Amino acid sequence: MPTIASVGSAHAATPQAAICTSDQPGLADKLSEDINAALDGSTATTAISLHDRTTNTTCTLDADRTFDSASTVKVTVLATLLWDAQKDDRALTQEEKDRATAMITQSDNDATTALWKQLGTDRINGFLRAAGMTNTVLDSEGHWGLTQITANDEEKLLNLVTHANPVLSEDSRGYILKLTSEVIPSQRWGTPAGAPSDAQVHVKNGWLERATNGWRVHSLGAFTGGDHDYTITVLSQDNATMDDGIANIEGVARAVHRDLNAPAPSARP
């Protein structure tokens, strides 16, 4: 049976503690302790969901809280585009490929808007249903960056992207992984912080400042290759600056990468 750990934190904005389970002895306790320590003293409201298949480890923190998506929704847009093309058994056009590449690797907003309008809300909602992302809600006025997302739903999406499933074909998954591995250097912050050097890093971030709740700063990460097979979602708001949000996420990410990639404790006689 997996071990379960929940460690309290003095973190005021997010009173819930990270709850972890793992098949590896001691790992759940260590992750819970280190995630909460990383958040201690932060004024941000933070949600976390992660899954490591190698050790059957999960951690969640306020993972059903909704946030404005900002640019993280662009992975959903790309997945919807590919899912829709699969149904018609067609390849993407060159224009679609160009827009998808700009949308993911450079976070281009114009390309995103064009694909969003092309797909329409019915197709996007259709993909969300197929993906089981039941807590993701599109903005009623059509603003893609104000899509309401949760950390748990984003983890469902990352799971679809990284493992075989009936929703996204192998080619579709490979295309999403390729583009998220080619994000420009200036946007490769967040969950990749502290990742092991032999891991293949896939990332898509989002950032948005609004009059209420300050900066939304989010990061979706998937780490594959070698012995690595895990995904991390960190969503946050109430950040005073974008840099504060990045530092908040990277503190969590470093703790997670360090703990997941530490040598397993050896058995003692």
Side-chain angles (χ1 to χ4, degrees), residues 80-157:
T80 302
L81 177 68
L82 294 164
W83 173 76
D84 188 61
Q86 285 172 199
K87 293 193 296 181
D88 293 333
D89 195 25
R90 71 171 183 87
L92 299 187
T93 66
Q94 188 58 52
E95 183 177 55
E96 288 171 333
K97 289 179 181 179
D98 290 344
R99 286 173 170 167
T101 299
M103 174 176 69
I104 298 298
T105 65
Q106 300 175 48
S107 208
D108 185 276
N109 291 337
D110 291 340
T112 307
T113 298
L115 290 173
W116 186 269
K117 289 180 177 178
Q118 173 188 323
L119 291 166
T121 57
D122 286 348
R123 288 189 179 93
I124 298 167
N125 279 322
F127 171 75
L128 293 174
R129 286 192 297 272
M133 298 168 66
T134 55
N135 291 320
T136 299
V137 180
L138 306 188
D139 175 61
S140 60
E141 296 183 3
H143 302 294
W144 48 260
L146 299 184
T147 300
Q148 297 300 293
I149 62 171
T150 69
N152 276 340
D153 267 11
E154 294 306 299
E155 274 295 293
K156 289 178 182 178
L157 177 60

Side-chain angles (χ1 to χ4, degrees), residues 20-24 27-28 31 49-60 155 159 162-163 196 221 223-233 256-262:
C20 300
T21 69
S22 180
D23 285 351
Q24 181 172 306
L27 182 56
L31 275 166
S49 186
L50 68 92
H51 183 207
D52 175 34
R53 283 179 173 252
T54 305
T55 57
N56 190 30
T57 297
T58 64
C59 291
T60 60
E155 274 295 293
N159 183 61
T162 52
H163 296 95
F223 305 89
T224 61
D227 295 328
H228 310 293
D229 187 6
Y230 58 97
T231 54
I232 307 171
T233 295
V256 171
H257 290 301
R258 181 177 64 247
D259 291 350
L260 289 182
N261 294 286

Side-chain angles (χ1 to χ4, degrees), residues 3 6 16 28 45 53 60 65 73 80 83 85 91 93 127 144 171 173 177 186 189 194 207 218 223 241 258 268:
T3 56
S6 175
Q16 297 90 341
T45 300
R53 283 179 173 252
T60 60
R65 177 188 288 271
V73 78
T80 302
W83 173 76
T93 66
F127 171 75
W144 48 260
D171 286 345
R173 294 188 299 106
L177 289 170
S186 63
W189 45 262
W207 56 98
H218 312 317
F223 305 89
T241 68
R258 181 177 64 247
R268 295 186 178 186

Side-chain angles (χ1 to χ4, degrees), residues 190-206:
T191 49
S197 59
D198 61 339
Q200 179 68 47
V201 174
H202 313 271
V203 64
K204 184 68 194 86
N205 296 324

Side-chain angles (χ1 to χ4, degrees), residues 44 107 186-190 205-209 214-218 236 238-250:
S107 208
S186 63
Q187 295 180 15
R188 296 183 70 80
W189 45 262
N205 296 324
W207 56 98
L208 172 67
E209 183 183 22
W215 279 89
R216 288 89 168 128
V217 186
H218 312 317
S236 69
D238 301 308
N239 296 286
T241 68
M242 180 176 168
D243 285 345
D244 285 345
I246 293 173
N248 181 50
I249 293 170
E250 292 190 344

